Amino acid sequence: MKPLPLPRLDWTQGQARNRDHDDPYFSRADGLAESRHVFLDGNALDTRLAAAPRFCIGELGFGTGLNFLLSWQAWAARAPAGAVLDYIAVEAAPLSRAQLRRALAPWPELTPLREGLCAALPPRHAGFHSVEPAPGLRLLLLYGDVGACLPQCRARVDAWFLDGFAPARNPAMWSPAVLAQVARLSAPGASLATYSAAGHVRRALQAAGFAMEKRPGFGRKRHMLVGRRDATPCAPSPAPWFDYPAGGDGPVAILGDGIVGACLARQLAEDGQAVQVFGADDGASARIPGFLVRPYPEATDSPASRLYALAFARACRFYARHVPAAFSRLRLGGQEGDLPAASLRPAAAVTALLEHPLIRRQRSGPCQIEADGSDWILRDEQGQLRYRGPRLLLCGARPPAGLPGTWPLRPCAGQVALTADAIEPAFAGKVHGFTVAGRGQIGSSYRPGEEAADIRPAESRQLLQQAGLAVEPADAAAGPRTVSPDHLPLLGPVPDLPRWARDYAGLNHGERHRAFGPGACLPGLWLNLGHGSRGATLAPLAALQLASALQGRPLPLPADLAAIAHPGRYAIRALKRGRDPLAD
Ligand code: SAM
């Protein structure tokens, strides 16, 4: 993936000016005082942050990060213990670290936070990037054009900073379509502030659904604008069936104690949510010595490759932070060139991830699920009740017995060969080799349709041959996995299929442009299943996606990428073709 172009900057008296837009990043008089006056005071942030256990700020134009650093500073000084702050910012031309340091140099008091931001900044690639510069503080950077990024965002913003260069010089940041997205993403009663007092901006914001007010501006500017979201309805969602329902309240349980369940449990715990984890500890994570973590090597710019590129970046940050001893970066040479990748020792990673005061692990063996009123129930093989509660997250390879509906997941067991000694990392076709705990691991084979994870010596020899290694296998390991027809997992809420069949029948009757309602889902039940052989790569991003959904926080995945993994995608395809979604 190519980085976005760097902004072209001029520096006059130490102040950054953007040459492409011919506009400065902030007031020449005193950028910091202007930011505080317009954006923080304009949104009454000091008072609101002090009272909010959870708060979300949205910004159009991340620029140098000055507004972000001031918000972080105010939040750190005032927010109650355990509070979380989400900060979403759109930026088409992210500054380099060097540009950012230079632009913020006039304010040495911000140096520690500025360095915290620089350490967390993602690569300057188009797409959504979720990073955590400090505990409780999540920064979701939407790199790309505002018109493309905002429709993909799913969040409830409490306060907006509209800071996208002067409307006269940069109308794209103030267009009715962009402001309609600002309104769509606003929580009820959300506020906004901008230094602009232009009449057409005020009218456009009123048309988008904000009650607007003029206030004294900063310095030589007579006026600025603040606004509050009123009850004006928003444009309907283009694919309402894929919008997630509210995350609900109450205890959370996870069924599945492999790497996918462990990442989710740890993410929830890191976010302050207590969680119980149930499982049999006998999946691929317990049996295969090493998992490969890597971006999608097959295609260049498909949605799936964008998903796995984001997932790979997230996975590297997550594992390096939480399980550094079980994680190593490597580069795979071979026919496909030099690919960035990493290896994970899943058994050690699972143990370490689940060691957290907010996680309670129970080795329950396989469980089946049942619905009972608004609760979900887990029963073990002896029929004993293990869990009853409103929120249940199903993680791992196989769907458990009792999961309502039929799901297009097929078993596809596979095997890796192990050598006596270490090997050089290698990648040949679908076979990869790397060293785990001092031994070479070469894998893996695919047995489509097969559940049995037995060891087959002939398969080991074939794997070594394919990898071009002239050694005898010393050992082997095999594990279960499942794949879907499009090789993407089932990640998201569980559609109530009989209701979808009724509510969306019009999709096949030329009614595609009708405003349909949101998809009815089974309350409190979420899937994170069928990752095939890519579970270790996607697990940390899938965990962040579901944990955010459960907590009502901004979703880290753009809506188009969440849709390709949504459990209801097969039902929607069937409905559009006039087929019964219950039969597929
Ligand atoms: N809030 C920033 C700060 O604290 O430093 C200053 C933002 S600066 C005034 C405006 C920013 O909007 C620039 O960084 C620019 O690259 C970005 N921008 C301009 N047009 C854009 C567009 N169409 N999509 C996304 N970002 C855009």
Side-chain angles (χ1 to χ4, degrees):
M1 219 187 260
K2 272 208 295 219
L4 289 164
L6 274 175
R8 298 182 309 137
L9 304 184
D10 281 336
W11 301 90
T12 352
Q13 294 164 354
Q15 301 270 2
R17 186 178 181 84
N18 184 301
R19 267 200 268 162
D20 304 306
H21 293 277
D22 190 22
D23 217 9
Y25 279 79
F26 27 70
S27 154
R28 258 161 307 201
D30 185 344
L32 187 144
E34 181 198 36
S35 275
R36 281 213 177 108
H37 175 81
V38 175
F39 297 110
L40 276 74
D41 297 348
N43 282 292
L45 281 196
D46 282 359
T47 332
R48 292 168 78 196
L49 288 174
R54 184 193 299 163
F55 201 81
C56 179
I57 296 173
E59 177 172 56
L60 302 193
F62 186 69
T64 67
L66 176 62
N67 290 341
F68 168 70
L69 295 184
L70 294 177
S71 305
W72 177 359
Q73 197 182 44
W75 174 76
R78 290 178 178 77
V84 295
L85 176 64
D86 285 294
Y87 195 103
I88 305 171
V90 189
E91 181 51 64
L95 275 68
S96 68
R97 286 185 177 80
Q99 289 175 321
L100 193 139
R101 286 193 175 103
R102 188 170 172 191
L104 295 169
W107 303 291
E109 68 270 36
L110 292 177
T111 304
L113 299 190
R114 182 196 76 192
E115 287 311 302
L117 169 63
C118 284
L121 278 177
R124 301 171 51 265
H125 293 155
F128 286 19
H129 307 270
S130 181
V131 295
E132 280 125 28
L137 173 63
R138 206 173 279 160
L139 171 61
L140 178 59
L141 286 165
L142 318 185
Y143 281 169
D145 186 75
V146 65
C149 289
L150 285 188
Q152 296 297 333
C153 187
R154 296 290 176 272
R156 280 278 159 267
V157 174
D158 298 299
W160 285 99
F161 302 167
L162 305 189
D163 195 11
F165 289 135
R169 293 176 198 275
N170 192 24
M173 275 291 235
W174 307 86
S175 72
V178 164
L179 300 180
Q181 289 296 326
V182 167
R184 177 185 68 80
L185 288 163
S186 293
S191 62
L192 68 77
T194 173
Y195 49 80
S196 173
H200 71 276
V201 169
R202 180 169 46 83
R203 287 188 293 279
L205 283 164
Q206 280 165 337
F210 289 90
M212 299 302 299
E213 186 193 325
K214 260 191 199 168
R215 293 254 180 100
F218 178 78
R220 284 185 302 155
K221 283 203 170 147
R222 278 184 53 207
H223 292 118
M224 58 172 268
L225 292 174
V226 297
R228 193 159 282 277
R229 176 96 178 95
D230 65 24
T232 314
C234 293
S237 169
W241 32 88
F242 292 146
D243 286 343
Y244 287 5
D249 295 306
V252 176
I254 290 175
L255 178 59
D257 55 2
I259 192 66
V260 173
C263 286
L264 181 49
R266 184 56 175 259
Q267 183 64 54
L268 285 162
E270 291 290 325
D271 292 347
Q273 170 70 55
V275 55
Q276 297 183 67
V277 180
F278 299 86
D281 196 19
D282 73 343
S285 301
R287 302 185 197 192
I288 308 281
F291 281 165
L292 193 62
V293 179
R294 61 169 169 168
Y296 203 69
E298 290 91 344
T300 47
D301 195 31
S302 65
S305 74
R306 283 195 287 131
L307 175 67
Y308 283 96
L310 293 182
F312 177 66
R314 173 81 198 163
C316 290
R317 283 197 296 275
F318 183 88
Y319 294 134
R321 175 153 164 216
H322 296 300
V323 288
F327 178 71
S328 336
R329 285 181 180 268
L330 48 95
R331 294 198 81 87
L332 294 176
Q335 300 161 0
E336 308 278 330
D338 202 17
L339 291 175
S343 70
L344 184 76
R345 289 188 297 113
V350 167
T351 305
L353 286 170
L354 294 180
E355 258 163 35
H356 189 285
L358 288 176
I359 301 176
R360 204 154 64 98
R361 180 181 193 176
Q362 296 188 38
R363 288 192 169 79
S364 58
C367 285
Q368 67 167 44
I369 74 168
E370 288 167 27
D372 184 17
S374 56
D375 278 345
W376 294 101
I377 286 177
L378 286 180
R379 272 187 211 286
D380 64 20
E381 286 189 317
Q382 286 69 46
Q384 214 184 332
L385 181 74
R386 292 294 194 139
Y387 170 78
R388 173 194 286 275
R391 298 195 285 180
L392 178 60
L393 318 175
L394 306 177
C395 293
R398 304 187 193 99
L403 173 64
T406 50
W407 301 96
L409 293 178
R410 281 187 315 149
C412 182
Q415 175 172 322
V416 297
L418 298 165
T419 60
D421 301 310
I423 57 168
E424 283 298 311
F427 187 61
K430 289 205 166 200
V431 173
H432 51 259
F434 54 95
T435 296
V436 196
R439 299 200 299 176
Q441 175 181 306
I442 300 93
S444 60
S445 59
Y446 290 82
R447 302 176 196 159
E450 286 191 38
E451 195 122 26
D454 54 319
I455 307 275
R456 299 179 189 171
E459 249 175 40
S460 286
R461 282 193 294 277
Q462 201 182 354
L463 284 166
L464 288 171
Q465 231 172 36
Q466 281 172 282
L469 289 171
V471 288
E472 277 299 301
D475 203 349
R481 62 185 165 208
T482 58
V483 288
S484 67
D486 57 15
H487 293 267
L488 288 162
L490 300 180
L491 176 69
V494 184
D496 182 337
L497 289 177
R499 285 187 55 192
W500 281 37
R502 215 174 50 226
D503 296 349
Y504 300 139
L507 279 175
N508 181 244
H509 300 143
E511 294 182 32
R512 289 191 190 183
H513 303 294
R514 193 180 101 193
F516 289 97
C521 292
L522 302 185
L525 192 64
W526 298 77
L527 303 187
N528 193 1
L529 297 171
H531 288 266
S533 47
R534 300 200 169 109
T537 305
L538 194 54
L541 184 55
L544 189 63
Q545 176 80 351
L546 291 194
S548 303
L550 255 63
Q551 296 158 2
R553 297 179 68 177
L555 298 183
L557 276 179
D560 60 348
L561 299 189
I564 63 170
H566 194 289
R569 63 191 184 273
Y570 295 103
I572 289 298
R573 274 176 223 161
L575 283 158
K576 284 184 176 171
R577 290 175 193 149
R579 295 205 314 262
D580 179 1
L582 299 164
D584 275 44

